Amino acid sequence: MVTLNKISRLYELLEKRYGDLHWWPGDTDDEILIGAILTQNTSWSNVERSLSLLKEKQLLSIDKLALAEPETVAQLIRSSGFYNQKAERLVSISKAISGSGGYQFLRSLPARESEQFLLSLKGIGSETAESILCYILGKMVFVVDKYTMRIFGRIEIPGTENKASARITVEHTLGESKSLGNFHATLVQLGKEHCKTKPVCKGCPANSICGFYESLISP
């Protein structure tokens, strides 16, 4: 099966199984951005506790975080780990985005320019930038994470050997005709339920196109 058909088929299989997952979790753009930074190197359950405390103290806003003291923020996000470092970065990133004209300004830029701006900020790497571009700015950008790479590798999709090539291949294959955000969300769900470090192939919706599964059942 050629790359284009295999990716399109995977998209269809996951959409049929999971539907629209309404992801990324967060009620506001600010909550999504803050969550994307806090979730680095920790679990989402830890992030949720931090977000709850920030909301309680009325700091779940980049405009307010831009004016906050990192020491104050650090005490509220302890559950997210590396809290002193993340607090400093949250404050500096908030200042940079607010000072530049906010999300409206970033949305007005081509995706590549928005991405370059985000990557210039300390504390934002490629995956975090992709999440912001996709889920906040509405750009046609695919988020590539550990689940993506594991699943694509096991399915054996050509042109997805590394993160950069995987992103390009998906964006070129699906383009604006599909929801790249929901594709990422369903891949995460598949990774949690079936394509784990130790795979659980029974009942996996991608079995019909998976090279790894085919190798298991082949005589």
Side-chain angles (χ1 to χ4, degrees), residues 17-216:
R17 170 65 65 88
Y18 299 117
D20 188 347
L21 295 177
H22 302 286
W23 218 65
W24 180 294
D27 296 328
T28 66
D29 290 340
D30 286 347
E31 186 173 350
I32 294 171
L33 181 135
I34 294 165
I37 295 167
L38 291 180
T39 199
Q40 296 170 8
N41 302 307
T42 193
S43 67
W44 186 252
S45 59
N46 290 334
V47 173
E48 287 180 318
R49 290 196 290 274
S50 296
L51 292 175
S52 178
L53 287 173
L54 287 169
K55 187 173 185 178
E56 182 181 316
K57 298 298 182 181
Q58 298 185 341
L59 283 174
L60 200 59
S61 154
I62 63 169
D63 289 339
K64 291 183 178 178
L65 281 174
L67 302 174
E69 293 295 331
E71 294 79 7
T72 300
V73 177
Q75 296 309 307
L76 300 174
I77 64 169
R78 292 177 69 93
S79 65
S80 295
F82 302 98
Y83 52 91
N84 287 321
Q85 181 187 76
K86 288 182 179 180
E88 290 179 1
R89 290 179 175 179
L90 271 177
V91 171
S92 64
I93 290 168
S94 296
K95 286 179 179 177
I97 294 177
S98 294
S100 72
Y103 304 124
Q104 185 174 354
F105 168 70
L106 293 177
R107 288 190 184 103
S108 72
L109 298 175
R112 184 57 186 158
E113 291 183 28
S114 298
E115 185 169 19
Q116 288 175 337
F117 173 85
L118 292 169
L119 290 174
S120 72
L121 305 179
K122 192 171 184 179
I124 294 184
S126 59
E127 187 179 326
T128 303
E130 289 164 357
S131 297
I132 295 168
L133 288 161
C134 178
Y135 293 108
I136 297 177
L137 303 182
K139 303 293 186 181
M140 193 194 75
V141 170
F142 180 62
V143 182
V144 183
D145 58 19
K146 63 179 182 180
Y147 295 112
T148 305
M149 297 307 297
R150 181 190 300 158
I151 293 165
F152 285 0
R154 285 178 177 161
I155 291 177
E156 299 176 359
I157 300 177
T160 62
E161 291 78 15
N162 56 59
K163 287 190 173 186
S165 63
R167 174 176 159 183
I168 291 170
T169 298
V170 171
E171 290 174 358
H172 285 184
T173 302
L174 299 179
E176 297 181 0
S177 64
K178 305 292 185 182
S179 169
L180 298 184
N182 196 54
F183 187 34
H184 168 241
T186 57
L187 286 166
V188 171
Q189 196 65 32
L190 182 71
K192 290 179 177 179
E193 291 184 359
H194 293 284
C195 210
K196 304 177 182 182
T197 303
K198 183 177 181 180
V200 181
C201 295
K202 183 178 181 180
C204 176
N207 280 344
S208 62
I209 61 170
C210 182
F212 178 82
Y213 180 70
E214 185 177 346
S215 71
L216 293 180

